Every structure is written in C-alpha cells, then in structure tokens.
Amino acid sequence: MTPFTTLAGIAAPFPDADVDTDIIFPARFLLLLDKEGLGKHLFHDRRWRDDGSAVPDFVLNRPPYDRARILVAGPRFGSGSSREQAVWTLADFGIRCVIAPSFGEIFFANCPKTGVLPVIAGAADHAALMEAARRGETVEVDLETQRVTWPGGGFAFEVEEHRRRALLQGLDEIAMVIADNAADIAAFERQ
C-alpha cells in the first residue's frame, strides 16, 4: 500500500445518508476478481445510465470532483453488507479519505486495510466541511497531526494507533504481522 501522511486537494461533496455497500459497489459486479479497474463501477447505478453514458450531474462525473481523492459523505456511509470490494472500488477510483459523521462498522474497519482513511466528523464540523467542498476549496487531511483543514476551518480527528501506524507506513495486515513479529517468525523458521 502507498503510505498515507497528508492529502490535499478538492473534496467531493456527497451528502446522501445511508449509502450502503451495494450503492457503492453493486452486487452484480462481485464476480470480478481483480481489484484493478473496479473504480469504474463506483456508485455505478448513480453515475451511469442504462446506455452506459455518464449521468452529468453526479458529483464524481463533474470536474473538478472527477479527480477528487477526498469524499465528504453523509451519515452512515458504507452501511450494509461486509463486502470489502466497496472499499476497493473507492481506492481504485482514487479516493484515499472518506469523511462522514458515521460509517457502517465493517466498512470503517475495511478502509485502512486498503489504504483508505475513514474520518468521523462531528455534525458542525461536517456541515462546515461539506460547504467548503461545495465551494471547491482545497481540503487537507494530515494523518500525522490528525487534523482536517480548509481555508477558514478545520477540526481534529482520532484514529486508533494500529490503524494510524498501518496507514502512515503503508502496511496491510500481513505486512503488520511480519513487521511486528519478524524475530519470532525467524526463530520459528530456524526451528
């Protein structure tokens, strides 16, 4: 994984509440085996018409949001099933950080495993950030200091230390086990 330290750029405003994993990544694409290329299916039924043409007013189809690496989402983002492909498709599209008032529990846990930082924002901070995103302001997410800032605003957030370390160092779960247990693994292999 690519380490996550700071991320700055346009944040796409996506205020819809209760966006479940089937909206993020529809079930009919679950048979796709490769993580690469999944980004084209992100929010598929909202981004694309039946004839394959883009829905022009969908936020991720409009410049500059079509290049956003930060998504400011509504409450209960990623609820529903445990499909990890929902996070994979966000990451393949280029989203590295999702900021929302709340998340589906399993989705939230899957994000750091794929290099995506989920940030929980309080109601007032979320509303201010959503307005900044709508204005197209540059948003910066700093994982080292655990702060989100934009011109005229900002707030602190918390990340569990093991998830923070994994993101900062770009380690997936296997790499974390190896990094934390290298001596024990080597001793076992010598036996």
Side-chain angles (χ1 to χ4, degrees):
M1 289 187 326
T2 303
F4 186 118
T5 53
T6 60
L7 178 63
I10 296 295
F14 189 66
D16 300 18
D18 300 306
V19 173
D20 65 28
T21 54
D22 195 50
I23 293 170
I24 298 167
F25 186 75
R28 67 184 175 280
F29 300 116
L30 287 173
L31 296 178
L32 300 173
L33 302 176
D34 197 355
K35 288 182 183 181
E36 291 183 28
L38 291 181
K40 65 185 172 193
H41 301 297
L42 178 63
F43 303 118
H44 189 277
D45 296 341
R46 295 189 181 187
R47 283 179 60 209
W48 309 108
R49 294 185 176 127
D50 290 340
D51 67 2
S53 63
V55 174
D57 61 343
F58 188 81
V59 66
L60 295 178
N61 289 342
R62 297 189 327 253
Y65 302 116
D66 59 342
R67 296 182 317 279
R69 299 184 67 212
I70 302 167
L71 184 69
V72 183
R76 296 169 301 281
F77 187 80
S79 59
S81 75
S82 62
R83 75 182 63 145
E84 59 193 345
Q85 293 92 335
V87 180
W88 297 351
T89 193
L90 282 162
D92 191 64
F93 182 85
I95 301 292
R96 293 290 319 269
C97 179
V98 180
I99 304 169
S102 57
F103 291 89
E105 185 178 341
I106 297 170
F107 176 88
F108 185 85
N110 283 337
C111 281
K113 297 174 186 178
T114 306
V116 175
L117 172 64
V119 173
I120 297 173
D125 293 328
H126 181 263
L129 177 59
M130 187 67 74
E131 286 307 311
R134 287 182 174 128
R135 290 189 300 268
E137 295 179 5
T138 297
V139 174
E140 182 173 341
V141 180
D142 188 328
L143 182 55
E144 291 178 328
T145 63
Q146 297 182 84
R147 287 202 49 84
V148 175
T149 56
W150 62 92
F155 62 90
F157 64 91
E158 293 184 20
V159 178
E160 291 176 350
E161 187 53 36
H162 73 280
R163 289 179 173 152
R164 182 174 176 268
R165 178 176 159 239
L167 285 164
L168 285 169
Q169 295 178 6
L171 303 174
D172 63 16
E173 288 180 306
I174 293 172
M176 285 281 284
V177 168
I178 292 170
D180 291 344
N181 300 290
D184 291 339
I185 293 168
F188 178 79
E189 288 175 343
R190 281 191 300 275
Q191 288 179 342

